[in-house]
């Protein structure tokens, strides 16, 4: 792993749950589909299996709810949806994130250009 | 590639995951296995059902150990207060070494174990069945078998009658190497199980607070209090003086009882022993008093009853509080 790799992975871990909340804010998704969407974004998920413990915790924290839905192909699916508390958490994180991102951009990229 | 080979790959993976997730609380483990299982099934139903596809799917999921490490990281931190392992300590200790108080010590340990949230049902079964009566269980068994073998035929009786000072009348029950080995193996296995259980409990320090409801710390009944009451009430059958005394000491150490309650329990338990001792030492000297054996019997019965009453008293006081 290159220097700073561990930091990046910590950073990713910190924001991953809000990316999950954000995806669920658009529509209800079941696990496999959610993981697939996250995987489409380069550099977001390295080991897909680790999304499940995260989903489990989000459910326990009450930010996400889930319900079982029969599927035509394969086993019943657990669909995840954003709760009211999850919406609130996502909204306040989004505000913070925009400020944070702009600040980092200004400091790191602003100097170079 | 045949479907069974692919099924084998998936089964191997899920088996590894289940073993790796052993340290998670039951509910979390179930949740994780369900999630990953559904993920794999969905992917396979969606087309990735040949060997290459499944291998790629599993690779992308990551190793079971990585996933479990993440799940452990998601466990709530051990909480604001340090979680006590007192109950688990007593449980493991009594189950293993508790056979110093034959049978009942072990029963108390098993009871404590089942009352703890830090073990899964499977581990509790393991602790209960492997092996009964803890480390000394094998020794009891060996002694029992040994004694059974030593029951000798009629020729023994004749030697008894003829010889003075013949105490060892029977040769058949001599020490048996196989019995000793069995007892030693029993001891080793029991201790090994105890070590495993203790480590598991230690790895789940935070579990009790994580489980929320019925928080052990809010209840006055911890391992200490239960053990104290068990020793006070049942300990008499095993170590007539030592066990209730130990129970009393534990009760005094506990913060669950108030001072006056401890004094009452102490008065119920201790003075009768002194009276009996004094009485016993004078028995026979004074005509009209009962003989030594009768005093002993009477003393034991009354003391059993009194320390039982003390245990009942302490138990009821705690019950009124919880």
């Amino acid at each position: 792993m290159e220097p700073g790799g561990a930091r990046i992975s910590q950073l990713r871990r910190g924001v991953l749950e809000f990316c999950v909340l954000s995806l669920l804010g658009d529509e209800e998704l079941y696990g496999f589909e959610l993981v697939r969407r996250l995987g489409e974004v380069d550099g977001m998920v390295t080991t897909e299996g680790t999304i499940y413990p995260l989903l489990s915790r989000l459910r326990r924290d009450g930010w996400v709810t889930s319900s079982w839905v029969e599927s035509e192909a394969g086993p019943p699916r657990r669909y995840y949806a954003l709760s009211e508390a999850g919406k609130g958490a996502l909204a306040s994180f989004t505000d913070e994130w925009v400020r944070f991102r702009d600040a980092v951009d200004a400091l790191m990229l602003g100097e170079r250009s | 590639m045949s479907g069974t080979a692919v099924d084998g790959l998936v089964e191997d993976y899920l088996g590894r995951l289940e073993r790796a997730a052993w340290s998670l609380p039951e509910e979390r483990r179930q949740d994780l296995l369900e999630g990953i299982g559904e993920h794999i099934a969905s992917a396979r139903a969606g087309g990735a059902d040949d060997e290459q596809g499944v291998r790629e799917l599993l690779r992308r999921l990551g190793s079971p150990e990585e996933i479990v490490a993440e799940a452990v990281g998601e466990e709530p931190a051990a909480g604001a207060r340090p979680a006590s392992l007192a109950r688990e300590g007593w449980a493991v200790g009594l189950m293993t070494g508790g056979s110093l108080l034959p049978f009942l010590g072990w029963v108390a340990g098993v009871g404590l174990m089942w009352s703890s949230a830090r073990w899964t049902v499977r581990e509790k079964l393991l602790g209960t069945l492997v092996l009964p009566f803890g480390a000394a269980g094998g020794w009891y068994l060996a002694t029992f078998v040994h004694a059974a073998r030593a029951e000798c035929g009629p020729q023994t009786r004749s030697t008894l009658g003829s010889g003075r000072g013949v105490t060892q009348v029977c040769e058949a029950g001599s020490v048996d190497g196989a019995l000793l080995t069995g007892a030693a193996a029993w001891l080793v296995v029991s201790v090994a199980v105890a070590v495993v259980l203790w480590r598991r409990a230690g790895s789940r320090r935070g579990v009790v607070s994580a489980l929320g409801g019925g928080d052990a710390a809010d209840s006055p009944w911890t391992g200490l209090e239960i053990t104290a009451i068990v020793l006070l009430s049942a300990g008499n059958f095993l170590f007539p003086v030592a066990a209730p005394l130990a129970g009393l000491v534990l009760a005094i150490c506990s913060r669950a009882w108030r001072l006056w309650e401890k004094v009452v329990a102490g008065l119920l338990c201790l003075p009768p022993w002194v009276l009996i001792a004094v009485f016993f030492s004078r028995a026979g000297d004074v005509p009209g008093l009962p003989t030594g054996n009768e005093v002993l019997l009477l003393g034991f019965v009354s003391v059993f009853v009194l320390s039982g009453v003390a245990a009942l008293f302490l138990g009821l006081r705690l019950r009124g509080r919880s």
Side-chain angles (χ1 to χ4, degrees):
Chain A
M1 195 176 269
E2 78 266 30
R7 295 282 157 73
I8 289 296
S9 114
Q10 274 181 351
L11 200 55
R12 187 190 290 127
R13 184 194 293 251
V15 295
L16 181 59
E17 60 188 279
F18 293 101
C19 296
V20 168
L21 293 181
S22 174
L23 279 174
L24 294 176
D26 301 333
E27 57 179 316
E28 294 190 10
L29 294 170
Y30 67 102
F32 181 69
E33 180 66 14
L34 177 70
V35 169
R36 203 183 58 76
R37 296 266 181 99
L38 286 167
E40 281 171 357
V41 186
D42 183 41
M44 185 46 76
V45 181
T46 45
T47 45
E48 294 178 347
T50 56
I51 299 293
Y52 289 93
L54 172 62
L55 280 171
S56 169
R57 203 245 302 149
L58 290 175
R59 226 153 23 91
R60 288 202 300 278
D61 288 351
W63 286 3
V64 156
T65 58
S66 72
S67 52
W68 289 98
V69 177
E70 290 293 325
S71 82
E72 288 172 18
R77 292 163 174 172
R78 178 175 243 162
Y79 273 81
Y80 296 90
L82 203 54
S83 71
E84 285 306 312
K87 279 177 195 161
L90 177 61
S92 67
F93 178 81
T94 309
D95 288 347
E96 286 294 322
W97 174 253
V98 169
R99 280 177 52 208
F100 178 69
R101 181 202 61 197
D102 289 348
V104 174
D105 281 357
L107 283 168
M108 297 186 96
L109 306 176
E111 279 176 6
R112 281 185 205 160
S113 59
Chain B
M1 195 73 201
S2 67
T4 51
V6 176
D7 287 343
L9 274 179
V10 172
E11 269 166 37
D12 279 354
Y13 185 87
L14 291 177
R16 260 176 72 198
L17 184 65
E18 189 170 6
R19 283 192 296 278
W22 185 239
S23 70
L24 289 174
E26 183 78 26
E27 190 194 347
R28 305 282 147 75
R29 186 171 68 229
Q30 222 44 49
D31 212 34
L32 181 64
L33 286 167
E34 238 171 55
I36 300 285
E38 187 204 314
H39 181 97
I40 294 172
S42 297
R44 291 180 70 185
D49 205 24
D50 58 338
E51 193 194 355
Q52 209 182 355
V54 169
R55 279 191 194 281
E56 173 64 12
L57 172 73
L58 299 182
R59 191 192 61 74
R60 290 174 62 106
L61 273 175
S63 78
E65 292 73 23
E66 269 177 293
I67 298 173
V68 171
E70 186 72 20
V72 170
E74 295 289 2
E75 283 296 310
R81 63 184 152 71
S84 162
L85 284 174
R87 180 190 305 240
E88 287 73 18
W90 280 106
V92 170
L94 282 173
M95 280 165 55
T96 320
S99 29
L100 290 174
L101 320 174
F103 188 67
L104 283 169
W106 180 79
V107 169
V110 169
L112 284 179
M113 176 182 68
W114 282 91
S115 74
S116 165
R118 289 194 176 93
W119 285 300
T120 65
V121 172
R122 257 202 281 188
E123 285 159 357
K124 286 171 181 170
L125 283 174
L126 175 83
T128 311
L129 301 175
V130 187
L131 287 161
F133 311 121
W139 189 76
Y140 294 140
L141 194 70
T143 314
F144 181 73
V145 173
H146 182 74
R149 280 191 197 163
E151 296 283 337
C152 290
Q155 76 275 12
T156 311
R157 300 214 169 272
S158 61
T159 33
L160 245 180
S162 66
R164 269 190 69 197
V166 179
T167 45
Q168 282 298 103
V169 288
C170 188
E171 298 292 318
S174 59
V175 178
D176 187 324
L179 280 182
L180 278 181
T181 315
W186 191 298
L187 187 142
V188 170
V189 172
S190 287
V191 171
V193 169
V195 169
V196 167
L197 288 179
W198 177 242
R199 295 181 60 126
R200 289 270 153 76
S203 74
R204 293 174 195 147
R205 241 171 192 279
V207 168
V208 168
S209 51
L211 290 180
D215 205 339
D218 294 338
S219 156
W221 292 94
T222 71
L224 189 66
E225 286 73 33
I226 296 168
T227 315
I229 289 177
V230 167
L231 284 175
L232 267 177
S233 55
N236 262 322
F237 294 98
L238 312 161
F239 285 103
V241 188
L245 209 60
L248 193 64
V249 170
L250 288 182
I252 290 169
C253 291
S254 163
R255 271 183 273 170
W257 286 294
R258 308 212 172 88
L259 183 62
W260 74 267
E261 290 163 345
K262 292 173 184 174
V263 170
V264 169
L267 287 176
L268 278 170
C269 290
L270 291 181
W273 284 113
V274 178
L275 287 180
I276 287 165
V278 171
F279 198 55
F280 188 44
S281 67
R282 299 185 53 193
D285 297 347
V286 184
L289 281 182
T291 62
N293 281 343
E294 285 169 39
V295 171
L296 205 60
L297 188 70
L298 204 73
F300 267 72
V301 171
S302 63
V303 163
F304 277 30
V305 172
L306 283 171
S307 32
V309 169
L312 194 69
F313 166 73
L314 289 178
L316 286 176
R317 292 300 306 171
L318 267 200
R319 213 177 131 216
R321 226 166 281 161
S322 55

